[in-house]
Amino acid sequence: MAELAYRPAIGLAQTLFKAWDLKIDLKGTENIPRSGGAVLVSNHISYLDFIFDGLAALPQKRLVRFMAKESVFRHKISGPLMRNMKHIPVDRKNGEVAYAHALDSLRSGEIVGVFPEATISQSFTLKSFKSGAARMAQEAGVPLIPMAVWGTQRLWTKGHPRHFKRSHIPITIRVGEAIEASRDKYAGAITRQLRERVQELLEAAQRAYPVRPKGPNDTWWMPAHLGGTAPTPEEVKAAEAR
């Protein structure tokens, strides 16, 4: 039943990508396992990241079950779709239920998608990673697959309007080699290794990105350390503390 909802959703997304004339540069899909469980781990800069992360698994004929906040599952439109596609609701006040659900999915051979930063990074740099992805991979005995997306923030991100018109926006996606989550390592050490690898992939995606801001009014989507006007991580933290 899940695929009865998932396949049409994929088709709709691909139709929209074509209508928007997105230029998608996707490399590393061979690192997605063709069978068996895995934890797919990505940076998070847009409300649409899960769509593009899922796109990376399609060449290997895999579907990804994403962990998403529980409120999305309560929405009258998105809720039934998310449940039918076997995505995993996360109640932050009772995370043990989502964790157990994800473990069951991994042990049954599914790929589970995780955003270890937990929220969208408004600085477009990597936030600290929570250790849940590493712990799940250890318990389920499956690999971690690091990946990074870039350009998705230009379509729809926190604090900025949606940009869903035909605009030829490039999207760059990089998938890295699997990281084994050995049970004899601390989850914290694996998480640090995972974050370092996602950072490398993010930098590779940024270097490969084919365009730069068109002028002073188009620098918002570039992080400050690359010359853009996105807030620094420190500025974001100060704003959230107010």
Side-chain angles (χ1 to χ4, degrees):
M1 287 297 294
E3 277 61 359
L4 292 178
Y6 215 136
R7 298 294 181 184
I10 290 170
L12 174 61
Q14 291 175 326
T15 298
L16 290 173
F17 296 162
K18 186 174 182 179
W20 297 338
D21 195 31
L22 301 184
K23 309 298 183 183
I24 300 174
D25 174 14
L26 172 58
K27 289 185 171 60
T29 59
E30 69 278 3
N31 293 314
I32 304 288
R34 282 192 172 272
S35 62
V39 181
L40 187 66
V41 178
S42 174
N43 66 318
H44 198 12
I45 54 175
S46 166
Y47 292 114
L48 303 178
D49 288 334
F50 74 98
I51 297 176
F52 293 97
D53 288 354
L55 184 68
L58 292 183
Q60 298 291 70
K61 303 185 186 305
R62 301 300 305 274
L63 301 176
V64 182
R65 316 303 178 181
F66 286 95
M67 301 185 76
K69 61 184 181 180
E70 194 267 342
S71 60
V72 177
F73 291 77
R74 294 199 305 267
H75 191 276
K76 64 181 181 180
I77 296 176
S78 64
L81 285 172
M82 295 293 282
R83 288 189 293 272
N84 288 336
M85 289 190 283
K86 289 170 52 177
H87 294 309
I88 302 169
V90 179
D91 181 351
R92 291 179 182 174
K93 294 181 180 178
N94 190 18
E96 295 83 0
V97 173
Y99 187 87
H101 187 167
L103 278 180
D104 287 344
S105 296
L106 291 169
R107 287 167 175 158
S108 66
E110 300 277 12
I111 295 178
V112 172
V114 176
F115 297 106
E117 297 168 277
T119 60
I120 289 174
S121 171
Q122 292 178 269
S123 67
F124 309 132
T125 62
L126 281 190
K127 298 160 66 77
S128 61
F129 277 22
K130 297 185 182 300
S131 63
R135 290 188 288 109
M136 283 193 301
Q138 284 180 304
E139 284 196 54
V142 301
L144 293 151
I145 310 296
M147 69 176 296
V149 293
W150 189 246
T152 57
Q153 75 273 32
R154 298 178 66 195
L155 292 172
W156 190 17
T157 193
K158 191 173 182 179
H160 294 274
R162 290 171 291 187
H163 190 56
F164 291 170
K165 61 183 181 180
R166 189 175 177 85
S167 54
H168 325 291
I169 289 176
I171 305 294
T172 304
I173 306 169
R174 294 291 181 266
V175 184
E177 295 180 357
I179 296 173
E180 295 302 319
S182 173
R183 287 176 178 262
D184 60 4
K185 287 186 178 181
Y186 288 113
I190 297 173
T191 300
R192 287 191 293 274
Q193 179 187 6
L194 178 63
R195 188 183 183 282
E196 289 171 0
R197 186 59 182 133
V198 173
Q199 178 66 40
E200 291 171 358
L201 292 166
L202 176 58
E203 291 174 1
Q206 290 169 337
R207 287 193 299 271
Y209 201 66
V211 301
R212 292 294 179 266
K214 297 176 182 177
N217 295 327
D218 188 42
T219 58
W220 65 268
W221 55 272
M222 288 287 282
H225 74 276
L226 292 180
T229 54
T232 65
E234 295 75 19
E235 289 169 340
V236 173
K237 184 179 289 188
E240 290 173 344
R242 290 175 193 156

